[in-house]
Amino acid sequence: MPSYIGAIDQGTSSSRFLIFDENGKIVALHQIGFPQYYPHPGWIEHNPNELLDSVSECVDKCITKFLNDKTCSIKDIKAIGITNQRETFIAWDKNTGKPLHNAIVWSDTRTLDLVHHLTEQINHGADIFKKSCGLPISTYFSAVKLLWMINNVPAVRDAHNNDTLLVGTVDTWLIWNLTGGINGGLHITDVTNASRTMFMDLNTLEWSQTILDFFNVKKNCLPRICSSSEVYCHIKIRDSEIPIAGILGDQQAALVGQKCFKSGEAKNTYGTGCFMLFNTGTTPFFSKSGLLTTVGYKFGNNPPVYALEGSIAVAGSAIQWLRNNLGIIKESKDINDLAALTPDVGGVYFVTAFSGLYAPYWQHIARATLEATCFQTRAILEAMNSDSDYPLTYLKVDGGMTASDLCMQIQADILGIDVDRPAMRETTALGAAIAAGLAVGVWKLSDLDKVNSDGKDVFKPQVSRENAAQRYQLWQKAVERSFGALNSDLTIVLVVGAGVCSRLRQDLSSVSSSWVNCYNAGNSVSECVDKCITKFLNDKTCSIKDIKAIGITNQRETFIAWDKNTGKPLHNAIVWSDTRTLDLVHHLTEQINHGADIFKKSCGLPISTYFSAVKLLWMINNVPAVRDAHNNDTLLVGTVDTWLIWNLTGGINGGLHITDVTNASRTMFMDLNTLEWSQTILDFFNVKKNCLPRICSSSEVYCHIKIRDSEIPIAGILGDQQAALVGQKCFKSGEAKNTYGTGCFMLFNTGTTPFFSKSGLLTTVGYKFGNNPPVYALEGSIAVAGSAIQWLRNNLGIIKESKDINDLAALTPDVGGVYFVTAFSGLYAPYWQHIARATLEATCFQTRAILEAMNSDSDYPLTYLKVDGGMTASDLCMQIQADILGIDVDRPAMRETTALGAAIAAGLAVGVWKLSDLDKVNSDGKDVFKPQVSRENAAQRYQLWQKAVERSFGWA
């Protein structure tokens, strides 16, 4: 019968359960993310019960997947190992089993002042216990976190005083609960996790009374220390009792997963940062170079094996910086191809400390980014070699960056040793499985050569040691010079920030931005919700309780009036594009000095048929029922989001009358500076404030609505174009999105300050997430875009379907002198092909006109454009757009970005996402259209189009 090993992998942002076969191959996996809590800047917490629940669910669902293979049995799973985020610390009451505080996560920095206080009162400073526990006094390790809880959390302090306190790292919390909790739960940890608390003496592998006394912590609250590989207990899963038989902190689990069992072997995990562990054998080496000393593993009754540990704060995050801040790559994986375009760094050295930037060549920057990580790895490795008796002869690697063959070859060259990369890189979970498998006899140490050995890559040095040493010296020189002036001997030094650590290790691989079960019907919202839920629940693995929140996005400016006592609409909604108010607009603007722009510095909008204020005034003037309700204070009004929420939350029986800042900013009634209804503007339109909804942010829990048997929060509201801005993740000042539909709508993020256009653009609220400041946007629109293609189809008949425009336009390399000014006042069409292409170009030229106005009105020149909407299906159109703008055009694979924006707003409010998480959402499979013509060519074509526009003013 085959044997399988399970592994619980409880990480910083997600929990997983994996099942491995005897060859170390994954046969089943399930992963679940969980919320991160940030009570204050620098504070990061997890809910201990959510950690436990996520692990339990992962185990259950992974077992179900495993048993779908009818040849598998639960009894084939011989043991389970646990690997976990280290240093994260939890405190609970042994009598109630309830956590006394959220878990304080390893990267939390709330204890910084406490660390300063502790180190100031002792002679040896932070390193006072380093010869005992291998660690300095630091915010990073568990001891200071526990002391903070005892000092600051009364429930923890009382439990500590009353001897009812239990504490431990995440492995301890999981095992205590999985083995019964208050009914005899096992309170244990292993040596690797214990060695990261600061409380354990590395020489005795016991809690140090000296250190405990220093921190005023009682030993009886700490777990019993065990080896990393033994049968600790059994837990019942389905009808089988399965032993938990392995425990390892995550980085040590990777050391074991990489099978670094010999002194002088090391592994390096290339992720957001890098973590290198170096096996020093059965003797702990205490670093003189600032490295940490830790327990690598201890298998049963065998002696412990120690390790030196060093980390690089910025590795993969530097690639993310190239992608997100410089925009020189669109996806992290692109770094390999870009860097490969040049054989060397051209004198560019990237010191990843984030305080300045000099970047003449993208290719060189890309390669220098990879080399920065590799040089820092060498620096750590030299320190390790200096601190130990075992010179490293090859390096085993895993982590996201190792997918780059070029990076791994550079690493081998710079180190001058082989770099060994396994085919299956889930080595952390595999390490936990190995520890468990060894304990129950699935493997012996001698068996492990065969585990996860197939298909590995070995990168051998391809340059001389002299060449590597020379390059390394230049990099060291760049580092030194980054502290002061730049070095004239180097072409460029990239200095990117002193000491910033970007290690928020968010893994959203379990979060999909693809839309499933999307029901789109011409019926009511309620029907859409009901039928979509039905489709969702047809997947028996889904539950209504899995839907954590609902967001709303809606057509803007469309305005509805109803009676608050009867709940009945008093008139049909007047749609945003309705022009019945044209005469009223003329009348209003004629009676004032500043014309249509009288309130533009306040609300960002001109008096226009487009916006809600004039629509409401028209209804009050022309619809008796609206006028009477307004006079009698029974009138309620709002955009579509307001009408929906009022009805969904009870209507006349206490319905919530609200809107968000983005929709409010399109009414003309809201002051952009205060985000409140402007009494001055209301007086001008003779509208009472009591009929308007309360203004909220775009992302918060507004209310709950009952769907089936579940109360689900409505937690996001955004007008449709602002929702697309959020869905495209345009969160940085200077980013913009353009939606290509019947018309075009471009929104340009201007940050937390509203810019009031001198070029006729609109100023609007882009979004406001909870209590964060509002983010403003400039908006420009093109009235005719996709509708021009429809005109070719319906009026000229030169194409059968709208999608045919692409093939027809592609038949000619240029417009042949034809420029389509989409004002429908004249037509010159010698060739259908030319007209087809000119139709596409008309939209692209108008987009450039808007973009130039935006650049003129803001401090953020656009460097790339994100697009969505129906017209973006045309590759040719998007390439023309890139050519005419002279910047990259970025098109996502999943283009339902308006709905995605509402989902993101809701997810942010309930903690499903943070802003820093969103780079990974809807990033796969995108297309980037890069300019393929010179700027001079684009400018010449644009000037011809402008001339055609001017000429069209005189045509009949």
Side-chain angles (χ1 to χ4, degrees):
M1 295 292 292
S3 295
Y4 299 93
I5 303 294
I8 293 170
D9 182 356
Q10 202 300 299
T12 306
S13 60
S14 66
S15 297
R16 303 188 301 165
F17 187 67
L18 304 87
I19 299 174
F20 294 90
D21 67 13
E22 292 175 86
N23 294 316
K25 294 179 180 176
I26 298 172
V27 296
L29 179 153
H30 194 80
Q31 178 171 349
I32 299 171
F34 50 81
Q36 313 284 312
Y37 298 98
Y38 304 93
H40 302 285
W43 295 30
I44 307 176
E45 297 179 356
H46 293 157
N47 182 318
N49 288 324
E50 289 175 346
L51 298 184
L52 180 63
D53 291 344
S54 68
V55 167
S56 299
E57 184 175 349
C58 284
V59 171
D60 181 66
K61 291 190 174 179
C62 185
I63 293 288
T64 298
K65 293 177 183 179
F66 175 71
L67 295 178
N68 284 340
D69 182 340
K70 300 305 180 185
T71 66
C72 295
S73 165
I74 191 75
K75 297 186 185 301
D76 296 335
I77 301 175
K78 302 304 182 184
I80 292 172
I82 294 176
T83 182
N84 55 282
Q85 52 173 311
R86 306 175 301 170
E87 298 97 16
T88 296
F89 218 58
I90 304 172
W92 67 99
D93 190 285
K94 69 179 180 183
N95 294 328
T96 67
K98 293 181 179 179
L100 301 174
H101 190 268
N102 274 347
I104 300 182
V105 178
W106 56 272
S107 54
D108 184 289
T109 59
R110 76 185 67 190
T111 59
L112 193 58
D113 289 342
L114 180 57
V115 167
H116 291 161
H117 171 72
L118 292 171
T119 54
E120 285 171 359
Q121 67 184 14
I122 49 182
N123 291 331
H124 295 278
D127 290 340
I128 182 173
F129 299 119
K130 208 167 181 190
K131 288 287 186 182
S132 174
C133 68
L135 309 174
I137 299 175
S138 164
T139 62
Y140 198 82
F141 306 112
S142 311
V144 185
K145 302 180 195 299
L146 176 55
L147 181 56
W148 184 93
M149 285 194 275
I150 291 172
N151 290 346
N152 293 277
V153 182
V156 176
R157 181 169 57 251
D158 292 346
H160 186 253
N161 292 338
N162 297 329
D163 296 331
T164 63
L165 180 66
L166 295 181
V167 298
T169 42
V170 174
D171 57 306
T172 300
W173 167 251
L174 293 177
I175 291 175
W176 190 79
N177 281 281
L178 292 172
T179 56
I182 59 175
N183 298 312
L186 203 60
H187 190 218
I188 62 172
T189 191
D190 91 299
V191 288
T192 67
N193 280 292
S195 73
R196 306 298 290 186
T197 63
M198 273 202 76
F199 291 134
M200 189 184 82
D201 189 304
L202 290 177
N203 301 288
T204 64
L205 303 188
E206 295 179 356
W207 302 122
S208 165
Q209 192 61 53
T210 301
I211 300 176
L212 289 171
D213 290 343
F214 176 83
F215 285 102
N216 292 315
V217 169
K218 295 180 180 179
K219 189 184 293 186
N220 62 9
C221 69
L222 295 171
R224 176 167 57 87
I225 301 173
C226 302
S227 77
S228 310
S229 179
E230 61 181 89
V231 175
Y232 314 103
C233 56
H234 289 72
I235 59 172
K236 188 164 186 176
I237 299 179
R238 309 290 170 93
D239 58 345
S240 185
E241 293 281 338
I242 302 176
I244 295 179
I247 309 172
L248 287 158
D250 54 6
Q251 297 306 322
Q252 286 95 330
L255 187 77
V256 172
Q258 289 278 30
K259 300 173 289 181
C260 293
F261 299 135
K262 298 174 185 173
S263 301
E265 288 190 321
K267 71 90 192 175
N268 200 17
T269 298
Y270 295 73
T272 305
C274 280
F275 292 87
M276 180 185 284
L277 265 70
F278 182 106
N279 183 324
T280 62
T282 55
T283 302
F285 284 77
F286 296 98
S287 176
K288 300 181 288 291
S289 309
L291 301 175
L292 306 178
T293 305
T294 192
V295 177
Y297 54 87
K298 184 181 187 298
F299 293 152
N301 293 324
N302 292 315
V305 171
Y306 297 92
L308 287 171
E309 177 168 338
S311 61
I312 299 170
V314 179
S317 56
I319 297 176
Q320 295 166 9
W321 181 81
L322 293 187
R323 180 192 66 197
N324 302 336
N325 295 65
L326 288 188
I328 67 172
I329 55 172
K330 297 303 176 183
E331 297 184 58
S332 295
K333 66 181 179 62
D334 298 338
I335 188 72
N336 195 65
D337 293 339
L338 184 59
L341 295 176
T342 181
D344 54 51
V345 296
V348 178
Y349 294 89
F350 190 172
V351 181
T352 49
F354 292 95
S355 63
L357 175 67
Y358 299 83
Y361 306 109
W362 297 143
Q363 297 169 7
H364 290 152
I365 291 175
R367 193 176 188 106
T369 300
L370 298 181
E371 290 204 356
T373 295
C374 297
F375 282 130
Q376 291 177 83
T377 298
R378 174 164 173 164
I380 290 176
L381 181 56
E382 289 192 345
M384 288 180 168
N385 282 334
S386 170
D387 285 329
S388 75
D389 296 335
Y390 307 104
L392 194 69
T393 56
Y394 57 92
L395 176 66
K396 297 186 179 184
V397 298
D398 55 47
M401 279 183 72
T402 64
S404 167
D405 289 357
L406 180 61
C407 183
M408 293 301 96
Q409 185 58 59
I410 292 170
Q411 187 68 91
D413 291 344
I414 288 172
L415 296 181
I417 59 176
D418 290 356
V419 170
D420 188 335
R421 180 184 67 187
M424 196 288 296
R425 293 167 212 165
E426 294 288 355
T427 53
T428 299
L430 177 60
I434 287 174
L438 287 171
V440 296
V442 170
W443 293 300
K444 300 188 292 292
L445 283 174
S446 57
D447 298 334
L448 295 179
D449 285 339
K450 297 179 182 178
V451 174
N452 197 27
S453 297
D454 293 341
K456 72 176 181 179
D457 298 304
V458 178
F459 297 86
K460 295 181 176 293
Q462 296 180 357
V463 302
S464 68
R465 289 188 176 274
E466 291 74 17
N467 175 283
Q470 184 181 34
R471 291 159 62 188
Y472 181 54
Q473 287 167 2
L474 284 171
W475 183 78
Q476 288 176 307
K477 194 173 184 182
V479 173
E480 292 169 6
R481 292 303 179 105
S482 73
F483 299 139
L486 293 181
N487 180 4
S488 60
D489 296 337
L490 302 175
T491 306
I492 292 162
V493 179
L494 297 179
V495 183
V496 189
V500 172
C501 176
S502 176
R503 285 165 48 195
L504 186 67
R505 301 183 298 179
Q506 295 303 305
D507 179 4
L508 292 187
S509 59
S510 63
V511 179
S512 171
S513 61
S514 301
W515 287 93
V516 294
N517 303 323
C518 184
Y519 185 75
N520 187 9
N523 300 319
S524 68
V525 168
S526 298
E527 182 180 349
C528 286
V529 171
D530 182 66
K531 291 191 175 180
C532 186
I533 293 290
T534 297
K535 292 183 177 183
F536 175 71
L537 295 178
N538 284 339
D539 182 341
K540 300 304 181 185
T541 66
C542 296
S543 164
I544 191 75
K545 297 186 185 302
D546 296 333
I547 302 174
K548 302 305 182 186
I550 292 172
I552 293 175
T553 181
N554 55 283
Q555 52 175 311
R556 307 175 301 170
E557 299 97 16
T558 296
F559 220 58
I560 304 173
W562 67 97
D563 189 285
K564 69 179 179 182
N565 294 327
T566 67
K568 293 181 179 179
L570 301 173
H571 190 269
N572 278 347
I574 300 182
V575 179
W576 57 273
S577 55
D578 185 288
T579 58
R580 76 185 70 189
T581 59
L582 193 58
D583 289 342
L584 179 58
V585 167
H586 290 161
H587 170 72
L588 291 171
T589 54
E590 285 171 359
Q591 66 184 13
I592 49 182
N593 292 331
H594 294 278
D597 289 342
I598 182 174
F599 300 118
K600 207 165 181 191
K601 289 288 186 182
S602 174
C603 69
L605 309 175
I607 299 173
S608 164
T609 63
Y610 199 81
F611 306 111
S612 310
V614 184
K615 302 181 195 299
L616 176 55
L617 181 56
W618 184 92
M619 284 194 277
I620 291 171
N621 290 346
N622 293 278
V623 182
V626 175
R627 181 168 59 251
D628 292 346
H630 186 254
N631 292 336
N632 297 329
D633 295 330
T634 63
L635 179 66
L636 295 182
V637 298
T639 43
V640 175
D641 58 304
T642 300
W643 167 249
L644 293 177
I645 290 175
W646 189 80
N647 281 281
L648 290 171
T649 57
I652 59 174
N653 298 312
L656 201 60
H657 190 219
I658 63 171
T659 190
D660 91 298
V661 289
T662 67
N663 281 291
S665 73
R666 307 298 292 184
T667 62
M668 273 202 74
F669 291 134
M670 190 185 82
D671 188 305
L672 290 177
N673 301 289
T674 65
L675 304 187
E676 296 177 356
W677 301 123
S678 165
Q679 193 60 53
T680 301
I681 300 176
L682 290 171
D683 291 344
F684 176 83
F685 285 101
N686 292 314
V687 169
K688 295 180 180 180
K689 189 184 293 185
N690 63 7
C691 69
L692 295 171
R694 176 167 57 87
I695 302 173
C696 302
S697 77
S698 312
S699 178
E700 61 182 87
V701 175
Y702 314 103
C703 55
H704 289 71
I705 59 173
K706 187 161 187 176
I707 298 179
R708 308 291 171 94
D709 59 345
S710 186
E711 292 282 337
I712 303 177
I714 295 179
I717 309 173
L718 286 158
D720 54 6
Q721 297 308 319
Q722 286 95 331
L725 187 78
V726 172
Q728 288 277 32
K729 300 172 291 181
C730 293
F731 298 133
K732 298 171 187 168
S733 303
E735 287 191 322
K737 73 91 194 174
N738 200 19
T739 298
Y740 295 74
T742 305
C744 280
F745 293 88
M746 180 185 286
L747 265 71
F748 183 107
N749 182 325
T750 63
T752 56
T753 302
F755 284 77
F756 296 97
S757 176
K758 302 181 287 291
S759 310
L761 302 174
L762 306 178
T763 305
T764 192
V765 177
Y767 54 86
K768 183 181 187 298
F769 293 150
N771 293 325
N772 292 315
V775 170
Y776 297 92
L778 288 171
E779 177 169 335
S781 60
I782 299 171
V784 179
S787 56
I789 298 175
Q790 296 167 6
W791 181 80
L792 294 186
R793 180 194 65 199
N794 300 335
N795 294 65
L796 289 187
I798 66 173
I799 53 174
K800 298 295 183 185
E801 297 182 58
S802 295
K803 66 182 178 63
D804 296 338
I805 186 73
N806 195 68
D807 294 338
L808 182 60
L811 296 176
T812 180
D814 54 51
V815 295
V818 176
Y819 294 90
F820 189 172
V821 180
T822 50
F824 293 95
S825 59
L827 175 67
Y828 297 85
Y831 307 107
W832 295 140
Q833 298 168 7
H834 291 151
I835 290 177
R837 193 177 188 105
T839 301
L840 297 181
E841 291 203 356
T843 294
C844 298
F845 283 129
Q846 290 176 84
T847 299
R848 174 165 173 164
I850 290 175
L851 180 56
E852 289 190 346
M854 288 181 167
N855 282 335
S856 171
D857 284 328
S858 77
D859 296 334
Y860 309 104
L862 194 69
T863 56
Y864 55 92
L865 177 67
K866 298 184 177 185
V867 298
D868 55 47
M871 277 184 73
T872 64
S874 167
D875 288 357
L876 180 61
C877 182
M878 294 301 96
Q879 185 57 59
I880 292 170
Q881 186 69 91
D883 291 344
I884 289 172
L885 296 180
I887 60 176
D888 290 356
V889 170
D890 188 337
R891 178 183 68 187
M894 195 288 294
R895 292 168 216 163
E896 294 287 355
T897 53
T898 299
L900 177 61
I904 286 174
L908 287 171
V910 297
V912 172
W913 291 301
K914 299 183 296 300
L915 285 175
S916 57
D917 300 334
L918 296 177
D919 285 334
K920 297 179 181 177
V921 176
N922 198 27
S923 294
D924 293 340
K926 68 180 177 180
D927 297 305
V928 179
F929 298 86
K930 294 180 176 291
Q932 296 180 357
V933 302
S934 67
R935 289 188 177 273
E936 292 74 17
N937 176 283
Q940 184 180 34
R941 290 160 63 187
Y942 181 54
Q943 288 167 3
L944 287 170
W945 182 77
Q946 288 177 307
K947 190 173 183 179
V949 172
E950 292 170 8
R951 294 294 179 92
S952 73
F953 296 151
W955 294 343

